[in-house]
Amino acid sequence: MKIFYVSDSGCVKDELFGWIESCATKAIKERGIFTIGLSGGSMPNQLEEIFDVVRSDYDKWKLFFCDERYVPENDGDSTFGAYKKAWLSRDNCALKESQFARINIKLDVNECAKDYEKQIRNVFKLSENSTEIPAFDLLLLGLGPDGHTCSLFPGHKLLSESTKLVAPISDSPKPPPKRVTMTYPLINNAQCCLFPLAGESKADIVKKIITDKEDFPAGRINPEKGELVWILDAQASKHLSPDTEY
């Protein structure tokens, strides 16, 4: 685990943009493609200025969602809808809508999850029957006050999912109830999982996960071969000691 302590939310963004640029440059140089998983919540706004800051060959990017709400794209809860507003509506947007892998809500939520997993496998050139797990270059993860990340909630049966890489959920404790989400086998096979967090509202749950080692869904993020990175501003890290190795 790498923890980067910065002063405020603006510095969190600066550090985050640096990581994105570095990961993208490395991936494109090595394989000619950059695969990134995005989260919703405050993340779209946090990343709004990316095209002003991050220098990259954006044509080589392929974008996915760590979880997505099972709603139309014009619904206020749609994660893709949030990025469409934050990114695709900008004059300087360097991405095309076709570079985003999106869920198909014309399918029922179970088939929708299967289809999304298939889309991921196709990008990584893996067959549906392959036992190989795709390795994303970078997953940008959020953290809820209850310790959830993606749509992996405390006490939910999906925490023990070991076969599906993308799973449906119809009983989310946080609305909307229907979603599709990456599961731990896929998340923990990433090259880098990154939590960019700012604000005092994150402080208590950050302490419980990092210092107290309490068992929350976000605390189970531990890439087997990759890096786990936390970028925390002064308020989010106020219960941590920068001199302590976690």
Side-chain angles (χ1 to χ4, degrees):
M1 180 191 298
K2 295 180 179 179
I3 303 177
F4 293 88
Y5 298 92
V6 298
S7 59
D8 54 35
S9 60
C11 292
V12 170
K13 286 201 291 186
D14 291 342
E15 192 73 34
L16 172 58
F17 287 147
W19 272 91
I20 294 172
E21 183 171 317
S22 176
C23 289
T25 299
K26 180 175 183 289
I28 292 169
K29 181 179 179 180
E30 292 179 352
R31 294 178 289 99
I33 186 175
F34 174 51
T35 53
I36 181 171
L38 305 168
S39 293
S42 63
M43 193 79 70
N45 290 333
Q46 203 171 9
L47 294 170
E48 190 172 8
E49 300 163 0
I50 190 169
F51 307 114
D52 299 321
V53 181
V54 175
R55 295 181 179 180
S56 184
D57 186 352
Y58 284 100
D59 287 343
K60 303 292 196 301
W61 285 38
K62 191 65 179 178
L63 304 103
F64 297 82
F65 298 105
C66 298
D67 68 324
E68 176 61 289
R69 288 79 176 267
Y70 185 76
V71 295
E73 292 171 4
N74 60 358
D75 188 290
D77 283 323
S78 169
T79 301
F80 173 69
Y83 281 96
K84 190 172 183 178
K85 180 179 179 181
W87 283 358
L88 297 174
S89 63
R90 293 172 66 96
D91 292 337
N92 69 337
C93 181
L95 296 167
K96 300 181 180 67
E97 192 168 320
S98 59
Q99 291 174 253
F100 291 81
R102 290 170 280 164
I103 65 168
N104 182 359
I105 62 169
K106 293 180 180 179
L107 304 172
D108 71 59
V109 71
N110 295 291
E111 292 302 315
C112 180
K114 290 179 183 178
D115 177 72
Y116 206 64
E117 179 172 330
K118 182 179 179 181
Q119 290 186 56
I120 293 173
R121 289 188 177 278
N122 286 342
V123 168
F124 285 87
K125 296 180 169 54
L126 299 173
S127 70
E128 292 184 57
N129 298 323
S130 173
T131 58
E132 185 178 345
I133 299 175
F136 277 84
D137 295 306
L138 179 63
L139 297 181
L140 301 181
L141 301 171
L143 175 65
D146 60 351
H148 86 268
T149 191
C150 301
S151 286
L152 301 171
F153 295 93
H156 197 276
K157 63 183 180 181
L158 283 186
L159 299 184
S160 59
E161 177 60 57
S162 60
T163 304
K164 298 173 182 174
L165 303 183
V166 177
I169 176 170
S170 297
D171 56 351
S172 167
K174 181 180 179 181
K178 290 186 178 182
R179 302 156 174 247
V180 296
T181 184
M182 292 184 181
T183 61
Y184 289 120
L186 181 57
I187 297 169
N188 283 330
N189 202 50
Q191 297 295 322
C192 181
C193 292
L194 194 156
F195 288 93
L197 305 174
E200 189 174 6
S201 64
K202 304 293 184 183
D204 288 341
I205 191 63
V206 165
K207 175 182 180 293
K208 289 176 181 179
I209 291 172
I210 294 179
T211 303
D212 302 336
K213 310 296 184 186
E214 293 186 31
D215 185 20
F216 289 94
R220 298 188 187 188
I221 304 300
N222 185 24
E224 296 176 8
K225 301 175 183 177
E227 295 180 295
L228 174 59
V229 177
W230 294 72
I231 303 172
L232 306 172
D233 79 346
Q235 290 184 318
S237 65
K238 72 176 188 177
H239 298 315
L240 305 186
S241 172
D243 298 326
T244 302
E245 186 173 330
Y246 294 99

